[in-house]
Amino acid sequence: MGTKHDPGRMSVADFDALFAELDNSGRWGGEDALGTLNLLRAAHVVAAAGTVRSGRTVTLSLPVNTVAGPDNPVPAIHYMSIGHDDVIGEGDGRFATDFLGIDFHGESQSHIDALNHVSYRGLLYNRRPIDLVKTSGADVHTVDDYRHGIVGRGVLVDVARHRGVPWLLPGEYVTAEELEEASEAQGVEVGEGDILVFRTGQHRRRLEEGPWDNNVEGRAGFHPTALRFLAERNVAAFAADGDGETVPSPVDGISYPIHPLMIAAMGMAAFDNLQFEDLRKVCDEEGRQEFLFTAGPLRLLRGTGSPVNPTAVF
């Protein structure tokens, strides 16, 4: 049996009830493709711009990972295709170019998920059928729906620091109550239109202890009921130093419950596999955990997501 801070394991029936509770289908119309980004309005962007005071910028992205490892079974491919020793045309001008090939979903590359990336019981967000997403490409909810960028107020909720640990251990999950307590203790208020930046310390653990297969050995994330915190506050987007999933899953019979809830039910823009160690340092130096969050995915037509390099501006 769960307690306030430990709701305990969930059955599939309990999960389905939570899915129905969080489901935003039809909330912004039957053809909606933006989901919770509808909550991020122009007034929120203007207000977020007002958080810029020092002009400092900091990346929230991992470097593109070209090294195979337990958390990177399909490393990115990068090579120089033209060097400065190649002659192109006349004169002394020279050019260098390179090639990048990347399987960006997974546990090692910073990316954003499109709303067609996840389905549940045969349906995508807004109850669109999965046959609209084919191996030749997607016809609905593509990452190009985010082509104008995601710009708003970023709010860091650092649960690792709240617990007084360098990182959460694999298998540990965070509840809605703990998110509320951590945000209050850290002097930030998560509200409508915000981008919730959720730190578990996963990247710090990787830096200090090396990579691990976090689909087998586990990773820290949310308890599914924690998504009520995001729904009640009308959060527009979610960014994590993992992907929000707790492994092993706290739901019987569903290995990865957070993505279906967040994407297929809520329609929430989700950034996976970011790093907040640089951000944590700058937040300490600036004395605040709110900032202007900016991110622009590649215009990958019919795509299920995109590599991304979000930036925090102070």
Side-chain angles (χ1 to χ4, degrees):
M1 179 179 294
T3 65
K4 178 182 178 183
H5 283 307
D6 184 6
R9 297 196 60 78
M10 297 183 71
S11 67
V12 173
D14 290 337
F15 176 85
D16 285 344
L18 181 61
F19 189 100
E21 174 188 333
L22 298 174
D23 190 0
N24 281 324
S25 296
R27 180 176 178 180
W28 296 286
E31 299 301 313
D32 176 59
L34 291 179
T36 57
L37 286 184
N38 286 289
L39 298 166
L40 178 50
R41 297 187 292 274
H44 294 121
V45 178
V46 172
T51 66
V52 177
R53 301 166 199 162
S54 67
R56 296 179 72 177
T57 61
V58 57
T59 180
L60 309 182
S61 176
L62 296 170
V64 173
N65 194 338
T66 60
V67 179
D71 60 348
N72 192 28
V74 186
I77 300 170
H78 176 242
Y79 60 83
M80 303 302 293
S81 51
I82 296 176
H84 287 286
D85 54 347
D86 293 309
V87 177
I88 300 177
E90 298 180 342
D92 291 330
R94 295 291 185 269
F95 302 86
T97 66
D98 44 355
F99 170 87
L100 175 66
I102 184 169
D103 187 350
F104 52 82
H105 288 296
E107 312 309 322
S108 62
Q109 311 291 358
S110 296
H111 66 274
I112 186 172
D113 292 334
L115 295 186
N116 61 18
H117 174 53
V118 180
S119 63
Y120 186 64
R121 297 195 183 279
L123 295 174
L124 305 165
Y125 165 68
N126 225 7
R127 300 179 185 172
R128 306 301 296 273
I130 57 174
D131 59 9
L132 293 173
V133 181
K134 311 173 184 68
T135 53
S136 59
D139 297 327
V140 66
H141 297 339
T142 76
V143 73
D144 195 51
D145 292 330
Y146 299 154
R147 60 188 173 275
H148 298 301
I150 298 175
V151 179
R153 176 178 177 257
V155 179
L156 173 64
V157 177
D158 189 341
V159 177
R161 173 166 288 191
H162 180 65
R163 293 190 185 183
V165 298
W167 52 75
L168 274 60
L169 295 174
E172 292 185 330
Y173 53 69
V174 176
T175 66
E177 291 83 1
E178 189 173 17
L179 286 172
E180 183 172 3
E181 290 180 0
S183 59
E184 289 179 357
Q186 293 166 11
V188 294
E189 183 176 348
V190 181
E192 181 172 294
D194 284 346
I195 295 111
L196 175 62
V197 178
F198 171 64
R199 180 177 179 270
T200 66
Q202 176 170 298
H203 183 58
R204 179 175 173 182
R205 183 179 191 266
R206 190 184 193 279
L207 289 173
E208 295 190 17
E209 297 193 349
W212 72 97
D213 186 342
N214 52 49
N215 284 310
V216 175
E217 299 174 53
R219 60 185 182 268
F222 280 161
H223 190 278
T225 56
L227 293 184
R228 289 184 174 128
F229 177 92
L230 283 67
E232 291 167 359
R233 286 155 181 77
N234 284 321
V235 167
F238 173 73
D241 55 1
D243 62 0
E245 298 283 357
T246 300
V247 179
S249 169
V251 180
D252 295 328
I254 301 178
S255 298
Y256 305 105
I258 300 303
H259 276 62
L261 289 174
M262 188 173 289
I263 296 175
M266 300 175 72
M268 180 165 288
F271 296 85
D272 292 347
N273 305 324
L274 304 185
Q275 64 83 21
F276 304 137
E277 302 316 298
D278 297 334
L279 175 67
R280 176 70 272 170
K281 179 181 178 182
V282 174
C283 283
D284 287 344
E285 293 171 351
E286 293 284 329
R288 55 195 170 100
Q289 293 184 193
E290 65 166 1
F291 42 85
L292 179 67
F293 179 104
T294 67
L298 301 177
R299 294 200 63 183
L300 182 59
L301 302 181
R302 307 188 77 194
T304 63
S306 169
V308 71
N309 179 18
T311 302
V313 187
F314 287 83

